[in-house]
Amino acid sequence: MRILLVDDNSTNLKLLTKLVGKLDNCEALPYASPDAVLSSLPELEFDIAIIDYQMPVYNGVELYTEIVRFEKYAEVPVIFVTADKDMTTRMAALNAGAIDFLTKPVNPVEFQARVQNIVSLSRARRQLADQAEWLRREVERAVGELREREQEIIHRLTLAAEYKDPETARHTLRVASYSEAIAIELGLPSHVCHDIRLAAPMHDIGKVAMPDTVLLKQGRLTEAEYRQMQSHAEIGSDILGRSRSSLLQLASEIAASHHERWDGQGYPNRLVGTAIPISGRIVCIADNFDALTTERPYKPAWSFERTVEHILGRAGTQFDPDCVAAFERALPRIQAIMEQDRREQAEEAEKAGVSKSDRVA
């Protein structure tokens, strides 16, 4: 336990140093002037401060006020040493944060008793702080493990959806990345942006309930088939919403709301404006962008420029205007994500071609 001693009287300072030396496992840090203490901050390490009240330039209270400007010393116990028995002086010391007083001339027996009590208090406080830090780390570790399991569940569900439609996996990952980019530009907290990226791949999980004749149809859907396909939003929400996991609940929210429209003409609940969860408003734009820029059985892929113009032109009708503005700010990142995905697809196709030729040979 390191005890800071500050006294401009060399005799008193030597006495205090000697008395500290008699305490178990305590080390004295003697300073003969407030200036010397201040010049050593904030590198100076101590657990308790014993400060003379009457000193030139800075009195004890003024010195301690300067010390506690540094956050690391805010909880350090301070004892003032004074020959002044005036209540005004003592109140000033108490208001500054004094935990106890020693009266000059210092009585060694009184010093031993008072300071030993405060040393014991400081050690107990340190142990509690160490236990609190250990508990914080354990909670953080447990939460991290839980989140990893949640991510694993989402990954496995995404793989299940891929068995129904091989194009679904890449689509969901692109939508997740686009959604995170929009959320960042919207100014959402970083942990929310990260969770949206994790949950967004589940936006179309309800399509696992769609018949292959509808899901994989080469061409436009009939009106009856389109209505059937629309049910995937509610089915996906129901699949995910029964979980107590906050991440899966977010995924459920996205599944239910990513086809809603700002003007209330979307589905399944015809929500209007801000009644649509922000996660759904974000994924709605990301999903539409990806659908338009990729080839589908019933249409060719649109150009990047045409798709951007399409989305910007529907701010305030199909899409949340604030989310569209965030989408526009995120365009450099979104374009980079799209180009990276295309490079990866080309590399995979090339590898697949090489493997096929090897088998033929």
Side-chain angles (χ1 to χ4, degrees):
M1 190 69 64
R2 296 163 65 87
I3 301 179
L4 173 67
L5 304 174
V6 189
D7 197 317
D8 63 311
N9 184 296
S10 60
T11 302
N12 290 338
L13 188 59
K14 288 178 182 177
L15 174 61
L16 293 174
T17 302
K18 183 178 179 179
L19 292 174
V20 168
K22 293 181 179 181
L23 298 171
D24 291 338
N25 299 315
C26 289
E27 175 188 356
L29 302 176
Y31 281 80
S33 72
D35 287 338
V37 175
L38 294 175
S39 65
S40 299
L41 302 180
E43 288 75 23
L44 187 59
E45 299 291 339
F46 59 93
D47 305 289
I48 298 172
I50 300 177
I51 303 174
D52 184 33
Y53 183 81
Q54 292 294 346
M55 291 184 292
V57 184
Y58 289 94
N59 66 33
V61 169
E62 291 168 342
L63 172 60
Y64 186 66
T65 300
E66 292 299 316
I67 290 173
V68 295
R69 291 183 187 277
F70 296 96
E71 187 177 352
K72 65 182 289 187
Y73 305 121
E75 300 299 322
V76 171
V78 59
I79 302 169
F80 284 108
V81 183
T82 179
D84 193 345
K85 296 182 180 180
D86 181 59
M87 186 55 68
T88 302
T89 299
R90 297 198 170 226
M91 286 303 300
L94 287 170
N95 290 334
I99 194 171
D100 205 349
F101 295 94
L102 289 169
T103 304
K104 288 184 178 180
V106 174
N107 182 298
V109 175
E110 180 186 16
F111 180 95
Q112 182 83 18
R114 289 182 181 275
V115 178
Q116 186 61 60
N117 285 340
I118 293 170
V119 167
S120 298
L121 177 64
S122 295
R123 284 177 177 152
R125 179 184 292 175
R126 180 182 292 177
Q127 288 174 352
L128 285 173
D130 291 344
Q131 289 173 359
E133 176 60 20
W134 175 84
L135 181 61
R136 184 195 65 77
R137 290 197 302 268
E138 286 299 299
V139 169
E140 192 173 82
R141 183 183 61 80
V143 170
E145 289 178 355
L146 178 61
R147 183 48 58 97
E148 287 178 4
R149 291 186 191 128
E150 292 174 341
Q151 292 178 35
E152 177 70 10
I153 291 169
I154 286 178
H155 176 64
R156 294 300 168 188
L157 287 172
T158 303
L159 290 178
E162 184 180 358
Y163 278 99
K164 290 282 286 184
D165 180 4
E167 294 300 318
T168 296
R170 298 205 74 94
H171 164 71
T172 58
L173 294 177
R174 288 192 301 268
V175 169
S177 297
Y178 298 154
S179 297
E180 182 183 39
I182 296 168
I184 290 170
E185 291 299 331
L186 202 56
L188 297 183
S190 59
H191 71 277
V192 174
C193 298
H194 182 65
D195 282 357
I196 287 175
R197 179 183 182 130
L198 294 177
M202 292 288 91
H203 68 282
D204 277 341
I205 191 63
K207 287 184 178 179
V208 298
M210 297 298 104
D212 289 349
T213 53
V214 175
L215 184 64
L216 305 178
K217 183 176 181 179
Q218 299 294 309
R220 288 191 174 275
L221 301 178
T222 65
E223 185 175 341
E225 289 170 337
Y226 182 67
R227 284 198 301 270
Q228 187 176 20
M229 181 64 82
Q230 285 181 330
S231 68
H232 82 274
E234 289 182 298
I235 293 171
S237 176
D238 187 55
I239 290 171
L240 300 166
R242 298 179 185 182
S243 170
R244 289 185 294 179
S245 158
S246 61
L247 193 57
L248 291 177
Q249 287 173 2
L250 175 62
S252 172
E253 177 182 89
I254 291 171
S257 61
H258 74 286
H259 282 296
E260 299 288 357
R261 289 175 50 118
W262 185 255
D263 59 11
Q265 298 304 304
Y267 67 86
N269 298 310
R270 290 189 172 271
L271 300 179
V272 179
T274 56
I276 306 168
I278 187 64
S279 60
R281 286 179 261 157
I282 290 170
V283 174
C284 179
I285 293 175
D287 186 36
N288 273 266
F289 176 83
D290 191 70
L292 293 173
T293 54
T294 53
E295 184 178 352
R296 294 294 174 90
Y298 51 86
K299 73 163 191 68
W302 286 17
S303 69
F304 178 83
E305 294 74 18
R306 181 186 177 188
T307 305
V308 170
E309 182 180 357
H310 173 86
I311 290 175
L312 297 184
R314 281 159 177 73
T317 53
Q318 185 174 357
F319 307 118
D320 174 357
D322 289 339
C323 290
V324 171
F327 163 79
E328 187 172 17
R329 293 191 296 272
L331 283 175
R333 187 178 306 181
I334 288 172
Q335 188 169 25
I337 293 167
M338 184 173 67
E339 291 173 352
Q340 176 64 26
D341 179 76
R342 288 178 176 173
R343 285 194 296 271
E344 290 174 0
Q345 288 190 70
E347 290 171 2
E348 289 176 4
E350 183 178 355
K351 289 178 182 177
V354 170
S355 299
K356 184 176 180 180
S357 64
D358 287 344
R359 289 196 300 269
V360 171

